PDB file of all heavy atoms in Angstrom:
ATOM      1  N   THR A   1     119.360  82.795 148.900  1.00  0.00           N
ATOM      2  CA  THR A   1     119.552  81.436 149.412  1.00  0.00           C
ATOM      3  C   THR A   1     120.756  80.808 148.724  1.00  0.00           C
ATOM      4  O   THR A   1     121.055  81.108 147.555  1.00  0.00           O
ATOM      5  CB  THR A   1     118.300  80.574 149.195  1.00  0.00           C
ATOM      6  OG1 THR A   1     118.469  79.299 149.816  1.00  0.00           O
ATOM      7  CG2 THR A   1     118.027  80.359 147.712  1.00  0.00           C
ATOM      8  N   ASP A   2     121.446  79.957 149.449  1.00  0.00           N
ATOM      9  CA  ASP A   2     122.600  79.239 148.906  1.00  0.00           C
ATOM     10  C   ASP A   2     122.265  77.746 148.913  1.00  0.00           C
ATOM     11  O   ASP A   2     122.482  77.056 149.905  1.00  0.00           O
ATOM     12  CB  ASP A   2     123.845  79.522 149.752  1.00  0.00           C
ATOM     13  CG  ASP A   2     125.053  78.733 149.268  1.00  0.00           C
ATOM     14  OD1 ASP A   2     125.066  78.331 148.085  1.00  0.00           O
ATOM     15  OD2 ASP A   2     125.970  78.495 150.082  1.00  0.00           O
ATOM     16  N   VAL A   3     121.701  77.262 147.817  1.00  0.00           N
ATOM     17  CA  VAL A   3     121.207  75.887 147.729  1.00  0.00           C
ATOM     18  C   VAL A   3     121.802  75.221 146.497  1.00  0.00           C
ATOM     19  O   VAL A   3     121.864  75.818 145.416  1.00  0.00           O
ATOM     20  CB  VAL A   3     119.666  75.861 147.658  1.00  0.00           C
ATOM     21  CG1 VAL A   3     119.168  74.447 147.418  1.00  0.00           C
ATOM     22  CG2 VAL A   3     119.076  76.395 148.952  1.00  0.00           C
ATOM     23  N   ARG A   4     122.225  73.982 146.679  1.00  0.00           N
ATOM     24  CA  ARG A   4     122.679  73.167 145.545  1.00  0.00           C
ATOM     25  C   ARG A   4     121.479  72.386 145.022  1.00  0.00           C
ATOM     26  O   ARG A   4     120.782  71.708 145.784  1.00  0.00           O
ATOM     27  CB  ARG A   4     123.762  72.207 146.040  1.00  0.00           C
ATOM     28  CG  ARG A   4     124.628  71.413 145.038  1.00  0.00           C
ATOM     29  CD  ARG A   4     124.593  70.868 144.065  1.00  0.00           C
ATOM     30  NE  ARG A   4     125.560  70.262 143.228  1.00  0.00           N
ATOM     31  CZ  ARG A   4     126.678  69.613 143.532  1.00  0.00           C
ATOM     32  NH1 ARG A   4     127.110  69.527 144.764  1.00  0.00           N
ATOM     33  NH2 ARG A   4     127.385  69.042 142.594  1.00  0.00           N
ATOM     34  N   ILE A   5     121.196  72.489 143.718  1.00  0.00           N
ATOM     35  CA  ILE A   5     120.023  71.841 143.135  1.00  0.00           C
ATOM     36  C   ILE A   5     120.448  70.629 142.315  1.00  0.00           C
ATOM     37  O   ILE A   5     121.308  70.720 141.425  1.00  0.00           O
ATOM     38  CB  ILE A   5     119.230  72.817 142.236  1.00  0.00           C
ATOM     39  CG1 ILE A   5     118.660  73.963 143.075  1.00  0.00           C
ATOM     40  CG2 ILE A   5     118.097  72.091 141.514  1.00  0.00           C
ATOM     41  CD1 ILE A   5     117.925  75.006 142.260  1.00  0.00           C
ATOM     42  N   VAL A   6     119.854  69.484 142.665  1.00  0.00           N
ATOM     43  CA  VAL A   6     119.984  68.272 141.851  1.00  0.00           C
ATOM     44  C   VAL A   6     118.574  67.901 141.410  1.00  0.00           C
ATOM     45  O   VAL A   6     117.683  67.750 142.252  1.00  0.00           O
ATOM     46  CB  VAL A   6     120.624  67.118 142.644  1.00  0.00           C
ATOM     47  CG1 VAL A   6     120.749  65.884 141.753  1.00  0.00           C
ATOM     48  CG2 VAL A   6     121.981  67.520 143.188  1.00  0.00           C
ATOM     49  N   ALA A   7     118.362  67.806 140.111  1.00  0.00           N
ATOM     50  CA  ALA A   7     117.027  67.510 139.571  1.00  0.00           C
ATOM     51  C   ALA A   7     117.037  66.155 138.879  1.00  0.00           C
ATOM     52  O   ALA A   7     118.094  65.645 138.485  1.00  0.00           O
ATOM     53  CB  ALA A   7     116.596  68.601 138.595  1.00  0.00           C
ATOM     54  N   ALA A   8     115.851  65.585 138.763  1.00  0.00           N
ATOM     55  CA  ALA A   8     115.711  64.298 138.068  1.00  0.00           C
ATOM     56  C   ALA A   8     114.424  64.296 137.287  1.00  0.00           C
ATOM     57  O   ALA A   8     113.440  64.934 137.673  1.00  0.00           O
ATOM     58  CB  ALA A   8     115.728  63.136 139.067  1.00  0.00           C
ATOM     59  N   THR A   9     114.414  63.570 136.176  1.00  0.00           N
ATOM     60  CA  THR A   9     113.207  63.471 135.362  1.00  0.00           C
ATOM     61  C   THR A   9     113.260  62.220 134.501  1.00  0.00           C
ATOM     62  O   THR A   9     114.335  61.746 134.141  1.00  0.00           O
ATOM     63  CB  THR A   9     113.046  64.709 134.462  1.00  0.00           C
ATOM     64  OG1 THR A   9     111.829  64.611 133.722  1.00  0.00           O
ATOM     65  CG2 THR A   9     114.200  64.836 133.472  1.00  0.00           C
ATOM     66  N   ASN A  10     112.065  61.695 134.202  1.00  0.00           N
ATOM     67  CA  ASN A  10     111.964  60.612 133.225  1.00  0.00           C
ATOM     68  C   ASN A  10     111.314  61.100 131.941  1.00  0.00           C
ATOM     69  O   ASN A  10     110.980  60.321 131.060  1.00  0.00           O
ATOM     70  CB  ASN A  10     111.155  59.431 133.799  1.00  0.00           C
ATOM     71  CG  ASN A  10     109.739  59.832 134.173  1.00  0.00           C
ATOM     72  OD1 ASN A  10     109.348  60.986 134.021  1.00  0.00           O
ATOM     73  ND2 ASN A  10     108.962  58.890 134.658  1.00  0.00           N
ATOM     74  N   VAL A  11     111.127  62.424 131.850  1.00  0.00           N
ATOM     75  CA  VAL A  11     110.511  63.041 130.676  1.00  0.00           C
ATOM     76  C   VAL A  11     111.565  63.249 129.593  1.00  0.00           C
ATOM     77  O   VAL A  11     112.728  63.545 129.890  1.00  0.00           O
ATOM     78  CB  VAL A  11     109.869  64.400 131.057  1.00  0.00           C
ATOM     79  CG1 VAL A  11     109.357  65.142 129.825  1.00  0.00           C
ATOM     80  CG2 VAL A  11     108.737  64.185 132.052  1.00  0.00           C
ATOM     81  N   ASN A  12     111.158  63.085 128.332  1.00  0.00           N
ATOM     82  CA  ASN A  12     112.036  63.421 127.209  1.00  0.00           C
ATOM     83  C   ASN A  12     112.111  64.940 127.121  1.00  0.00           C
ATOM     84  O   ASN A  12     111.194  65.596 126.638  1.00  0.00           O
ATOM     85  CB  ASN A  12     111.478  62.831 125.911  1.00  0.00           C
ATOM     86  CG  ASN A  12     112.402  63.040 124.732  1.00  0.00           C
ATOM     87  OD1 ASN A  12     113.116  64.037 124.642  1.00  0.00           O
ATOM     88  ND2 ASN A  12     112.397  62.095 123.805  1.00  0.00           N
ATOM     89  N   MET A  13     113.196  65.513 127.617  1.00  0.00           N
ATOM     90  CA  MET A  13     113.285  66.964 127.745  1.00  0.00           C
ATOM     91  C   MET A  13     113.296  67.681 126.401  1.00  0.00           C
ATOM     92  O   MET A  13     112.740  68.776 126.263  1.00  0.00           O
ATOM     93  CB  MET A  13     114.539  67.335 128.548  1.00  0.00           C
ATOM     94  CG  MET A  13     114.529  66.795 129.972  1.00  0.00           C
ATOM     95  SD  MET A  13     113.086  67.348 130.913  1.00  0.00           S
ATOM     96  CE  MET A  13     113.534  69.031 131.275  1.00  0.00           C
ATOM     97  N   ALA A  14     113.928  67.079 125.403  1.00  0.00           N
ATOM     98  CA  ALA A  14     113.941  67.710 124.076  1.00  0.00           C
ATOM     99  C   ALA A  14     112.526  67.840 123.539  1.00  0.00           C
ATOM    100  O   ALA A  14     112.150  68.872 122.955  1.00  0.00           O
ATOM    101  CB  ALA A  14     114.810  66.888 123.119  1.00  0.00           C
ATOM    102  N   GLU A  15     111.718  66.790 123.727  1.00  0.00           N
ATOM    103  CA  GLU A  15     110.328  66.836 123.270  1.00  0.00           C
ATOM    104  C   GLU A  15     109.517  67.841 124.079  1.00  0.00           C
ATOM    105  O   GLU A  15     108.698  68.576 123.531  1.00  0.00           O
ATOM    106  CB  GLU A  15     109.705  65.439 123.391  1.00  0.00           C
ATOM    107  CG  GLU A  15     108.284  65.357 122.880  1.00  0.00           C
ATOM    108  CD  GLU A  15     107.716  63.955 122.993  1.00  0.00           C
ATOM    109  OE1 GLU A  15     108.511  63.007 123.192  1.00  0.00           O
ATOM    110  OE2 GLU A  15     106.489  63.802 122.909  1.00  0.00           O
ATOM    111  N   ALA A  16     109.735  67.880 125.408  1.00  0.00           N
ATOM    112  CA  ALA A  16     109.013  68.824 126.264  1.00  0.00           C
ATOM    113  C   ALA A  16     109.342  70.266 125.891  1.00  0.00           C
ATOM    114  O   ALA A  16     108.462  71.139 125.884  1.00  0.00           O
ATOM    115  CB  ALA A  16     109.354  68.563 127.727  1.00  0.00           C
ATOM    116  N   ILE A  17     110.600  70.534 125.547  1.00  0.00           N
ATOM    117  CA  ILE A  17     111.002  71.884 125.132  1.00  0.00           C
ATOM    118  C   ILE A  17     110.353  72.248 123.807  1.00  0.00           C
ATOM    119  O   ILE A  17     109.836  73.358 123.632  1.00  0.00           O
ATOM    120  CB  ILE A  17     112.537  71.972 125.039  1.00  0.00           C
ATOM    121  CG1 ILE A  17     113.162  71.881 126.433  1.00  0.00           C
ATOM    122  CG2 ILE A  17     112.968  73.264 124.355  1.00  0.00           C
ATOM    123  CD1 ILE A  17     114.664  71.717 126.426  1.00  0.00           C
ATOM    124  N   SER A  18     110.341  71.311 122.853  1.00  0.00           N
ATOM    125  CA  SER A  18     109.762  71.593 121.535  1.00  0.00           C
ATOM    126  C   SER A  18     108.259  71.856 121.619  1.00  0.00           C
ATOM    127  O   SER A  18     107.707  72.606 120.820  1.00  0.00           O
ATOM    128  CB  SER A  18     110.031  70.431 120.572  1.00  0.00           C
ATOM    129  OG  SER A  18     109.351  69.260 121.005  1.00  0.00           O
ATOM    130  N   LYS A  19     107.592  71.245 122.600  1.00  0.00           N
ATOM    131  CA  LYS A  19     106.144  71.445 122.773  1.00  0.00           C
ATOM    132  C   LYS A  19     105.817  72.598 123.710  1.00  0.00           C
ATOM    133  O   LYS A  19     104.649  72.847 124.004  1.00  0.00           O
ATOM    134  CB  LYS A  19     105.508  70.159 123.294  1.00  0.00           C
ATOM    135  CG  LYS A  19     105.531  69.025 122.286  1.00  0.00           C
ATOM    136  CD  LYS A  19     104.834  67.790 122.828  1.00  0.00           C
ATOM    137  CE  LYS A  19     104.807  66.673 121.779  1.00  0.00           C
ATOM    138  NZ  LYS A  19     104.145  65.465 122.278  1.00  0.00           N
ATOM    139  N   GLY A  20     106.837  73.296 124.200  1.00  0.00           N
ATOM    140  CA  GLY A  20     106.606  74.465 125.037  1.00  0.00           C
ATOM    141  C   GLY A  20     106.236  74.143 126.474  1.00  0.00           C
ATOM    142  O   GLY A  20     105.740  75.019 127.192  1.00  0.00           O
ATOM    143  N   ARG A  21     106.487  72.915 126.924  1.00  0.00           N
ATOM    144  CA  ARG A  21     106.141  72.539 128.288  1.00  0.00           C
ATOM    145  C   ARG A  21     107.306  72.769 129.261  1.00  0.00           C
ATOM    146  O   ARG A  21     107.106  72.700 130.470  1.00  0.00           O
ATOM    147  CB  ARG A  21     105.705  71.077 128.350  1.00  0.00           C
ATOM    148  CG  ARG A  21     104.439  70.764 127.577  1.00  0.00           C
ATOM    149  CD  ARG A  21     103.824  69.468 128.063  1.00  0.00           C
ATOM    150  NE  ARG A  21     104.753  68.360 127.955  1.00  0.00           N
ATOM    151  CZ  ARG A  21     104.775  67.492 126.940  1.00  0.00           C
ATOM    152  NH1 ARG A  21     103.898  67.619 125.947  1.00  0.00           N
ATOM    153  NH2 ARG A  21     105.648  66.499 126.912  1.00  0.00           N
ATOM    154  N   PHE A  22     108.509  73.004 128.734  1.00  0.00           N
ATOM    155  CA  PHE A  22     109.667  73.226 129.604  1.00  0.00           C
ATOM    156  C   PHE A  22     110.573  74.269 128.961  1.00  0.00           C
ATOM    157  O   PHE A  22     110.819  74.242 127.749  1.00  0.00           O
ATOM    158  CB  PHE A  22     110.433  71.920 129.829  1.00  0.00           C
ATOM    159  CG  PHE A  22     111.298  71.940 131.058  1.00  0.00           C
ATOM    160  CD1 PHE A  22     110.777  71.615 132.288  1.00  0.00           C
ATOM    161  CD2 PHE A  22     112.641  72.302 130.974  1.00  0.00           C
ATOM    162  CE1 PHE A  22     111.561  71.635 133.430  1.00  0.00           C
ATOM    163  CE2 PHE A  22     113.439  72.328 132.108  1.00  0.00           C
ATOM    164  CZ  PHE A  22     112.897  71.997 133.342  1.00  0.00           C
ATOM    165  N   ARG A  23     111.054  75.177 129.793  1.00  0.00           N
ATOM    166  CA  ARG A  23     111.901  76.272 129.296  1.00  0.00           C
ATOM    167  C   ARG A  23     113.285  75.744 128.923  1.00  0.00           C
ATOM    168  O   ARG A  23     113.926  75.024 129.697  1.00  0.00           O
ATOM    169  CB  ARG A  23     112.039  77.351 130.357  1.00  0.00           C
ATOM    170  CG  ARG A  23     110.746  78.093 130.664  1.00  0.00           C
ATOM    171  CD  ARG A  23     110.991  79.114 131.754  1.00  0.00           C
ATOM    172  NE  ARG A  23     111.973  80.100 131.326  1.00  0.00           N
ATOM    173  CZ  ARG A  23     111.677  81.286 130.793  1.00  0.00           C
ATOM    174  NH1 ARG A  23     110.396  81.620 130.616  1.00  0.00           N
ATOM    175  NH2 ARG A  23     112.613  82.127 130.431  1.00  0.00           N
ATOM    176  N   GLU A  24     113.726  76.146 127.745  1.00  0.00           N
ATOM    177  CA  GLU A  24     115.031  75.677 127.270  1.00  0.00           C
ATOM    178  C   GLU A  24     116.162  76.246 128.113  1.00  0.00           C
ATOM    179  O   GLU A  24     117.133  75.544 128.426  1.00  0.00           O
ATOM    180  CB  GLU A  24     115.206  76.067 125.803  1.00  0.00           C
ATOM    181  CG  GLU A  24     116.454  75.490 125.157  1.00  0.00           C
ATOM    182  CD  GLU A  24     116.517  75.757 123.667  1.00  0.00           C
ATOM    183  OE1 GLU A  24     115.702  76.564 123.172  1.00  0.00           O
ATOM    184  OE2 GLU A  24     117.392  75.166 122.999  1.00  0.00           O
ATOM    185  N   ASP A  25     116.046  77.529 128.516  1.00  0.00           N
ATOM    186  CA  ASP A  25     117.113  78.126 129.323  1.00  0.00           C
ATOM    187  C   ASP A  25     117.227  77.452 130.684  1.00  0.00           C
ATOM    188  O   ASP A  25     118.338  77.266 131.211  1.00  0.00           O
ATOM    189  CB  ASP A  25     116.900  79.632 129.479  1.00  0.00           C
ATOM    190  CG  ASP A  25     115.480  79.989 129.902  1.00  0.00           C
ATOM    191  OD1 ASP A  25     114.650  79.069 130.071  1.00  0.00           O
ATOM    192  OD2 ASP A  25     115.186  81.192 130.053  1.00  0.00           O
ATOM    193  N   LEU A  26     116.091  77.053 131.258  1.00  0.00           N
ATOM    194  CA  LEU A  26     116.135  76.345 132.537  1.00  0.00           C
ATOM    195  C   LEU A  26     116.772  74.964 132.376  1.00  0.00           C
ATOM    196  O   LEU A  26     117.530  74.511 133.248  1.00  0.00           O
ATOM    197  CB  LEU A  26     114.720  76.213 133.109  1.00  0.00           C
ATOM    198  CG  LEU A  26     114.587  75.419 134.417  1.00  0.00           C
ATOM    199  CD1 LEU A  26     115.438  76.042 135.513  1.00  0.00           C
ATOM    200  CD2 LEU A  26     113.134  75.329 134.851  1.00  0.00           C
ATOM    201  N   TYR A  27     116.479  74.308 131.270  1.00  0.00           N
ATOM    202  CA  TYR A  27     117.069  72.985 131.032  1.00  0.00           C
ATOM    203  C   TYR A  27     118.597  73.062 131.011  1.00  0.00           C
ATOM    204  O   TYR A  27     119.285  72.246 131.638  1.00  0.00           O
ATOM    205  CB  TYR A  27     116.557  72.417 129.711  1.00  0.00           C
ATOM    206  CG  TYR A  27     117.318  71.206 129.239  1.00  0.00           C
ATOM    207  CD1 TYR A  27     117.185  69.982 129.883  1.00  0.00           C
ATOM    208  CD2 TYR A  27     118.194  71.295 128.157  1.00  0.00           C
ATOM    209  CE1 TYR A  27     117.905  68.868 129.470  1.00  0.00           C
ATOM    210  CE2 TYR A  27     118.903  70.194 127.728  1.00  0.00           C
ATOM    211  CZ  TYR A  27     118.756  68.982 128.385  1.00  0.00           C
ATOM    212  OH  TYR A  27     119.476  67.890 127.967  1.00  0.00           O
ATOM    213  N   TYR A  28     119.134  74.070 130.318  1.00  0.00           N
ATOM    214  CA  TYR A  28     120.593  74.184 130.239  1.00  0.00           C
ATOM    215  C   TYR A  28     121.205  74.583 131.583  1.00  0.00           C
ATOM    216  O   TYR A  28     122.358  74.239 131.881  1.00  0.00           O
ATOM    217  CB  TYR A  28     120.985  75.177 129.151  1.00  0.00           C
ATOM    218  CG  TYR A  28     120.727  74.640 127.762  1.00  0.00           C
ATOM    219  CD1 TYR A  28     119.850  75.287 126.893  1.00  0.00           C
ATOM    220  CD2 TYR A  28     121.344  73.476 127.329  1.00  0.00           C
ATOM    221  CE1 TYR A  28     119.601  74.775 125.624  1.00  0.00           C
ATOM    222  CE2 TYR A  28     121.102  72.962 126.066  1.00  0.00           C
ATOM    223  CZ  TYR A  28     120.226  73.612 125.222  1.00  0.00           C
ATOM    224  OH  TYR A  28     119.970  73.108 123.973  1.00  0.00           O
ATOM    225  N   ARG A  29     120.456  75.309 132.409  1.00  0.00           N
ATOM    226  CA  ARG A  29     120.937  75.646 133.742  1.00  0.00           C
ATOM    227  C   ARG A  29     120.982  74.408 134.642  1.00  0.00           C
ATOM    228  O   ARG A  29     121.917  74.220 135.428  1.00  0.00           O
ATOM    229  CB  ARG A  29     120.023  76.694 134.376  1.00  0.00           C
ATOM    230  CG  ARG A  29     120.209  78.088 133.835  1.00  0.00           C
ATOM    231  CD  ARG A  29     121.447  78.727 134.421  1.00  0.00           C
ATOM    232  NE  ARG A  29     121.595  80.110 133.984  1.00  0.00           N
ATOM    233  CZ  ARG A  29     122.563  80.910 134.392  1.00  0.00           C
ATOM    234  NH1 ARG A  29     123.478  80.449 135.230  1.00  0.00           N
ATOM    235  NH2 ARG A  29     122.653  82.144 133.961  1.00  0.00           N
ATOM    236  N   LEU A  30     119.953  73.571 134.536  1.00  0.00           N
ATOM    237  CA  LEU A  30     119.883  72.382 135.378  1.00  0.00           C
ATOM    238  C   LEU A  30     120.874  71.302 134.944  1.00  0.00           C
ATOM    239  O   LEU A  30     121.405  70.571 135.771  1.00  0.00           O
ATOM    240  CB  LEU A  30     118.464  71.799 135.356  1.00  0.00           C
ATOM    241  CG  LEU A  30     117.371  72.573 136.095  1.00  0.00           C
ATOM    242  CD1 LEU A  30     116.007  71.948 135.812  1.00  0.00           C
ATOM    243  CD2 LEU A  30     117.638  72.586 137.596  1.00  0.00           C
ATOM    244  N   SER A  31     121.066  71.191 133.641  1.00  0.00           N
ATOM    245  CA  SER A  31     121.863  70.073 133.113  1.00  0.00           C
ATOM    246  C   SER A  31     123.304  70.464 132.834  1.00  0.00           C
ATOM    247  O   SER A  31     123.873  70.067 131.814  1.00  0.00           O
ATOM    248  CB  SER A  31     121.217  69.532 131.829  1.00  0.00           C
ATOM    249  OG  SER A  31     121.169  70.540 130.834  1.00  0.00           O
ATOM    250  N   THR A  32     123.904  71.253 133.739  1.00  0.00           N
ATOM    251  CA  THR A  32     125.330  71.551 133.596  1.00  0.00           C
ATOM    252  C   THR A  32     126.112  70.248 133.515  1.00  0.00           C
ATOM    253  O   THR A  32     127.024  70.085 132.706  1.00  0.00           O
ATOM    254  CB  THR A  32     125.820  72.395 134.791  1.00  0.00           C
ATOM    255  OG1 THR A  32     124.984  73.547 134.915  1.00  0.00           O
ATOM    256  CG2 THR A  32     127.262  72.811 134.596  1.00  0.00           C
ATOM    257  N   VAL A  33     125.724  69.301 134.377  1.00  0.00           N
ATOM    258  CA  VAL A  33     126.209  67.931 134.271  1.00  0.00           C
ATOM    259  C   VAL A  33     124.982  67.029 134.232  1.00  0.00           C
ATOM    260  O   VAL A  33     124.115  67.130 135.103  1.00  0.00           O
ATOM    261  CB  VAL A  33     127.106  67.542 135.463  1.00  0.00           C
ATOM    262  CG1 VAL A  33     127.435  66.050 135.406  1.00  0.00           C
ATOM    263  CG2 VAL A  33     128.381  68.373 135.462  1.00  0.00           C
ATOM    264  N   GLU A  34     124.900  66.188 133.232  1.00  0.00           N
ATOM    265  CA  GLU A  34     123.758  65.267 133.111  1.00  0.00           C
ATOM    266  C   GLU A  34     124.238  63.843 133.362  1.00  0.00           C
ATOM    267  O   GLU A  34     125.215  63.382 132.773  1.00  0.00           O
ATOM    268  CB  GLU A  34     123.122  65.371 131.721  1.00  0.00           C
ATOM    269  CG  GLU A  34     121.861  64.536 131.575  1.00  0.00           C
ATOM    270  CD  GLU A  34     121.080  64.859 130.296  1.00  0.00           C
ATOM    271  OE1 GLU A  34     121.183  66.009 129.807  1.00  0.00           O
ATOM    272  OE2 GLU A  34     120.379  63.966 129.789  1.00  0.00           O
ATOM    273  N   ILE A  35     123.532  63.160 134.252  1.00  0.00           N
ATOM    274  CA  ILE A  35     123.867  61.776 134.603  1.00  0.00           C
ATOM    275  C   ILE A  35     122.697  60.891 134.210  1.00  0.00           C
ATOM    276  O   ILE A  35     121.577  61.095 134.683  1.00  0.00           O
ATOM    277  CB  ILE A  35     124.164  61.637 136.110  1.00  0.00           C
ATOM    278  CG1 ILE A  35     125.366  62.509 136.489  1.00  0.00           C
ATOM    279  CG2 ILE A  35     124.411  60.192 136.479  1.00  0.00           C
ATOM    280  CD1 ILE A  35     125.659  62.528 137.979  1.00  0.00           C
ATOM    281  N   ASN A  36     122.958  59.922 133.344  1.00  0.00           N
ATOM    282  CA  ASN A  36     121.893  59.038 132.858  1.00  0.00           C
ATOM    283  C   ASN A  36     122.054  57.646 133.467  1.00  0.00           C
ATOM    284  O   ASN A  36     123.145  57.075 133.444  1.00  0.00           O
ATOM    285  CB  ASN A  36     121.918  58.946 131.337  1.00  0.00           C
ATOM    286  CG  ASN A  36     120.840  58.034 130.794  1.00  0.00           C
ATOM    287  OD1 ASN A  36     121.091  56.877 130.475  1.00  0.00           O
ATOM    288  ND2 ASN A  36     119.618  58.554 130.702  1.00  0.00           N
ATOM    289  N   LEU A  37     120.967  57.127 133.999  1.00  0.00           N
ATOM    290  CA  LEU A  37     120.976  55.774 134.560  1.00  0.00           C
ATOM    291  C   LEU A  37     120.336  54.818 133.563  1.00  0.00           C
ATOM    292  O   LEU A  37     119.243  55.099 133.038  1.00  0.00           O
ATOM    293  CB  LEU A  37     120.201  55.740 135.881  1.00  0.00           C
ATOM    294  CG  LEU A  37     120.891  56.405 137.071  1.00  0.00           C
ATOM    295  CD1 LEU A  37     119.991  56.384 138.291  1.00  0.00           C
ATOM    296  CD2 LEU A  37     122.215  55.723 137.388  1.00  0.00           C
ATOM    297  N   PRO A  38     120.971  53.693 133.272  1.00  0.00           N
ATOM    298  CA  PRO A  38     120.455  52.759 132.261  1.00  0.00           C
ATOM    299  C   PRO A  38     119.217  52.020 132.769  1.00  0.00           C
ATOM    300  O   PRO A  38     119.076  51.788 133.975  1.00  0.00           O
ATOM    301  CB  PRO A  38     121.621  51.789 132.044  1.00  0.00           C
ATOM    302  CG  PRO A  38     122.356  51.803 133.352  1.00  0.00           C
ATOM    303  CD  PRO A  38     122.232  53.199 133.880  1.00  0.00           C
TER     304      PRO A  38
END
């Protein structure tokens, strides 16, 4: 498949990674560019 993925979250990703709830390698794949809204 040829799909462009844009993801969003309100979770503290660093904390989720440290607790084993989110894969660190996936985080770096998703956050090639990170956009933060105030």
Side-chain angles (χ1 to χ4, degrees):
T1 186
D2 177 23
V3 174
R4 192 322 174 35
I5 296 177
V6 180
T9 183
N10 60 359
V11 174
N12 185 328
M13 298 303 284
E15 183 179 345
I17 291 170
S18 65
K19 292 182 177 180
R21 296 200 303 263
F22 201 86
R23 293 179 61 96
E24 187 173 11
D25 49 0
L26 177 58
Y27 168 72
Y28 289 119
R29 284 283 184 177
L30 288 173
S31 61
T32 306
V33 172
E34 185 168 333
I35 299 175
N36 180 261
L37 287 176

